[in-house]
């Protein structure tokens, strides 16, 4: 009898709980990595099967045909199905140089100033690996792209939050009206500050930082010798003749700035996981050492296809046409909000609209799941809208620290990176919100 028991339990007592034998790293707690995040709560599996997903920022349409064709050609070749150089395939680095060089006003060195990464996110992570020491502080503007937080804390960094302040007036407003309090930003800098993250166009607000704002950030970075990570993955999606200024082009900023780009955002290919970093050798070379040990190299055939995309984008008029199409998509969604009479932020860039959901009301006894209890009010609002109206969105308080949750909980993020028919159907459903507005 005892022999059978020993065999069944591998020689251990059957009463002992063996589910948590090995303790996991505390960094997972500090970076919210173990918490049930917004993506798992507002997942298609948890929502009605016919719910229209305007929450997650991925497209429901394919990359352009000529880019897909380039991917097929690469897959049918031999060399492009094998390892690439950790710096990235030379054809893609040359394409990045030719596409971006004029925008940076310099001749980019493909060997030391450009690094291809496995998506923009991995590139950013590799910068943190390369430059953060334990206890270094990293300033990020709220609301922030949620991957910043664990990427910083996993590498020993301490996040320091500076909120963008939303406008207080009624009616719709521009994302430009979300402002930085520069006195507040200066107070956030300490002797331990190592880095500041700038995201323009900004996710989720859609703000395109002005030249004057970036000059003030640059002055602070220069004064305190800070590394600037400029996340510009939405650089090809800037609307209404707004100027996209690259902070790396401001006086003295090239030497302390790494700029982040993305093929996924540019070519509607978010699953390809092809991104890049542009900066001085003093930043790119340490980051190359990090990314080589993290992924070694990125997806070879899709690097080749991304190179073709960059080589041909301007000649085909692709980027201008894409901007027009996204402008149409944005206008369809915002026209729906206008019809409802609801406040929202009209984005200057990216593909998100923030809707003020503070006027949405629901019955006191509404059956919310436990996953949204104890979170910002926006979690309940987004859940209610998804269940009762059939359109999903993302609660914006997820992109704030606990102290500043009250700023974000008035907003829901709606993505318009969807085809026109889907957006029109979503707008039609959203009109049913009227009966739930106070």
């Amino acid at each position: 009898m005892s022999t059978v028991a020993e065999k069944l339990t591998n020689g251990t007592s059957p009463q002992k709980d063996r589910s948590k034998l090995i303790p996991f790293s505390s960094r997972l707690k500090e970076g919210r990595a173990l918490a049930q995040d917004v993506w798992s709560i507002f997942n298609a599996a948890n929502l009605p099967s016919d719910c229209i997903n305007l929450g997650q920022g991925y497209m429901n349409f394919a990359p352009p045909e000529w880019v897909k064709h380039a991917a097929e050609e690469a897959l049918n070749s031999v060399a492009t199905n094998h390892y690439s150089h950790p710096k990235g395939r030379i054809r893609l680095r040359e394409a990045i140089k030719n596409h971006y060089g004029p925008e940076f006003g310099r001749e980019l060195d493909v060997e030391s100033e450009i690094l291809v990464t496995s998506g923009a996110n991995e590139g950013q992570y590799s910068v943190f690996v390369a430059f953060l020491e334990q206890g270094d502080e990293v300033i990020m503007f709220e609301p922030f792209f949620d991957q910043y937080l664990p990427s910083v804390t996993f590498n020993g960094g301490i996040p320091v939050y500076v909120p963008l302040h939303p406008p207080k007036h009624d009616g719709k407003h521009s994302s430009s009206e979300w402002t930085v309090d520069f006195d507040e930003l200066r107070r956030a800098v300490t002797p331990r500050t190592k880095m500041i993250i700038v995201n323009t166009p900004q996710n989720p607000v859609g703000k395109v930082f002005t030249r004057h704002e970036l000059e003030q950030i640059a002055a602070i970075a220069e004064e305190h010798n800070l590394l600037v990570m400029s996340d510009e993955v939405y650089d090809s999606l800037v609307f209404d003749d707004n100027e996209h200024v690259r902070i790396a082009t401001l006086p003295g900023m090239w030497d302390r700035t790494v700029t982040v780009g993305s093929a996924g955002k540019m070519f509607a290919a978010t699953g390809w996981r092809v991104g890049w970093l542009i900066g001085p050798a003093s930043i790119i070379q340490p980051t190359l050492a990090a990314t080589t040990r993290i992924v070694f190299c990125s997806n070879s055939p899709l690097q080749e296809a991304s190179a073709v995309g960059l080589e041909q984008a301007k000649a085909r008029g692709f980027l201008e046409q894409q901007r027009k199409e996204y402008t149409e998509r944005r206008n369809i969604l915002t026209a729906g909000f206008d019809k409802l009479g609801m406040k929202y932020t009209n984005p200057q860039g990216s593909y998100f609209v923030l809707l003020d959901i503070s006027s949405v009301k629901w019955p006191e006894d509404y059956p919310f799941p436990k996953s949204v209890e104890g979170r910002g009010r926006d979690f309940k609002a987004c859940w209610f809208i998804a269940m009762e109206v059939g359109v999903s969105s993302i609660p914006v308080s997820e992109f704030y620290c606990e102290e500043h949750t009250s700023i974000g909980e008035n907003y829901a993020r709606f993505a318009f990176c969807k085809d026109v028919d889907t957006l029109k159907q979503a707008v039609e459903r959203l009109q049913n919100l009227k009966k739930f507005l106070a």
Side-chain angles (χ1 to χ4, degrees):
M1 184 79 172
S2 61
T3 304
V4 173
E6 285 174 5
K7 285 180 179 177
L8 289 175
T9 61
N10 197 26
T12 63
S13 169
Q15 285 79 35
K16 185 177 179 181
D17 180 7
R18 295 179 57 81
S19 63
K20 297 179 181 177
L21 288 178
I22 312 299
F24 55 79
S25 169
S26 61
R27 68 172 63 94
L28 295 182
K29 289 182 180 178
E30 294 162 2
R32 293 188 196 168
L34 287 178
Q36 186 175 17
D37 65 20
V38 70
W39 314 111
S40 58
I41 295 172
F42 292 90
N43 186 286
N46 298 330
L47 300 175
S49 59
D50 65 343
C51 190
I52 297 173
N53 184 356
L54 299 190
Q56 291 172 294
Y58 62 82
M59 302 78 177
N60 69 340
F61 48 86
E65 286 298 323
W66 47 281
V67 176
K68 287 197 299 179
H69 180 67
E72 291 170 6
E73 284 194 331
L75 285 167
N76 289 326
S77 300
V78 174
T80 46
N81 281 284
H82 296 289
Y83 295 125
S84 294
H85 193 287
K87 294 177 183 179
R89 295 190 68 76
I90 187 60
R91 183 175 182 180
L92 179 53
R93 283 183 281 140
E94 289 283 0
I96 292 168
K97 168 189 172 178
N98 294 331
H99 182 88
Y100 287 98
E103 298 182 21
F104 282 87
R106 62 192 309 121
E107 186 82 9
L108 296 172
D109 186 335
V110 296
E111 295 300 332
S112 63
E113 296 179 335
I114 295 170
L115 175 60
V116 177
T117 59
S118 297
N121 192 45
E122 185 269 317
Q124 292 168 356
Y125 190 89
S126 294
V127 173
F128 295 130
V129 171
F131 285 93
L132 289 184
E133 301 284 2
Q134 193 70 33
D136 282 348
E137 294 174 352
V138 179
I139 294 174
M140 57 184 76
F141 293 106
E142 294 175 304
F144 55 82
F145 173 51
D146 59 330
Q147 290 283 7
Y148 296 156
L149 175 57
S151 294
V152 168
T153 59
F154 282 10
N155 289 290
I158 298 172
V160 176
Y161 307 100
V162 176
L164 295 175
H165 295 280
K168 295 185 169 26
H169 63 80
D170 289 334
K172 72 177 181 181
H173 47 260
S174 168
S175 56
S176 64
E177 296 178 77
W178 287 68
T179 56
V180 179
D181 180 333
F182 282 95
D183 289 333
E184 192 173 12
L185 177 57
R186 285 189 172 277
R187 289 194 299 271
V189 179
T190 76
R192 291 307 308 265
T193 306
K194 181 71 168 284
M195 187 184 304
I196 183 167
I197 303 172
V198 178
N199 179 202
T200 181
Q202 206 261 5
N203 171 16
V205 173
K207 176 182 176 67
V208 174
F209 280 74
T210 66
R211 181 176 298 275
H212 181 58
E213 288 171 325
L214 293 174
E215 285 171 345
Q216 292 180 84
I217 294 170
I220 292 170
E222 188 72 18
E223 179 182 350
H224 298 280
N225 193 29
L226 306 182
L227 189 159
V228 176
M229 178 185 286
S230 190
D231 182 350
E232 301 180 21
V233 297
Y234 298 100
D235 59 356
S236 61
L237 296 173
V238 177
F239 313 120
D240 307 323
D241 296 321
N242 283 288
E243 182 188 18
H244 175 63
V245 179
R246 299 186 185 279
I247 192 169
T249 65
L250 299 182
M253 289 305 292
W254 169 258
D255 296 325
R256 64 174 68 257
T257 303
V258 58
T259 300
V260 185
S262 166
K265 302 297 190 296
M266 184 179 287
F267 298 116
T270 57
W272 286 14
R273 311 312 297 141
V274 176
W276 45 78
L277 304 176
I278 299 171
S282 59
I283 295 176
I284 295 300
Q285 295 311 299
T287 305
L288 170 63
T291 194
T292 302
R293 274 71 186 179
I294 296 170
V295 294
F296 181 68
C297 70
S298 298
N299 186 314
S300 295
L302 299 182
Q303 282 191 60
E304 202 75 3
S306 298
V308 172
L310 285 173
E311 288 166 357
Q312 299 184 22
K314 288 180 180 177
R316 287 177 175 268
F318 169 72
L319 297 178
E320 184 56 38
Q321 180 60 32
Q322 181 172 248
R323 268 192 294 274
K324 289 178 181 176
E325 291 171 358
Y326 270 95
T327 299
E328 180 188 6
R329 295 179 182 118
R330 180 194 63 171
N331 293 346
I332 289 170
L333 185 57
T334 57
F337 295 150
D338 285 331
K339 194 173 178 181
L340 279 167
M342 297 181 73
K343 294 165 58 176
Y344 61 88
T345 297
N346 198 39
Q348 300 164 288
S350 81
Y351 44 60
F352 304 110
V353 177
L354 297 192
L355 178 67
D356 187 327
I357 41 81
S358 58
S359 61
V360 177
K361 304 297 179 187
W362 50 81
E364 288 187 16
D365 60 350
Y366 192 81
F368 288 107
K370 288 183 180 178
S371 58
V372 303
E373 298 288 352
R375 314 288 285 258
R377 183 185 183 278
D378 52 336
F379 273 78
K380 287 187 174 180
C382 289
W383 185 267
F384 181 77
I385 293 169
M387 301 303 288
E388 299 302 320
V389 177
V391 180
S392 69
S393 56
I394 293 296
V396 173
S397 66
E398 176 78 357
F399 310 130
Y400 284 84
C401 67
E402 202 169 310
E403 181 185 350
H404 297 148
T405 295
S406 60
I407 302 174
E409 66 181 354
N410 286 331
Y411 299 95
R413 189 191 80 170
F414 289 80
F416 56 89
C417 51
K418 314 295 177 181
D419 63 62
V420 165
D421 289 341
T422 298
L423 290 168
K424 286 181 177 177
Q425 186 182 359
V427 163
E428 187 177 337
R429 289 188 184 186
L430 285 166
Q431 299 313 303
N432 293 318
L433 257 183
K434 235 169 205 165
K435 58 190 174 188
F436 301 117
L437 300 180

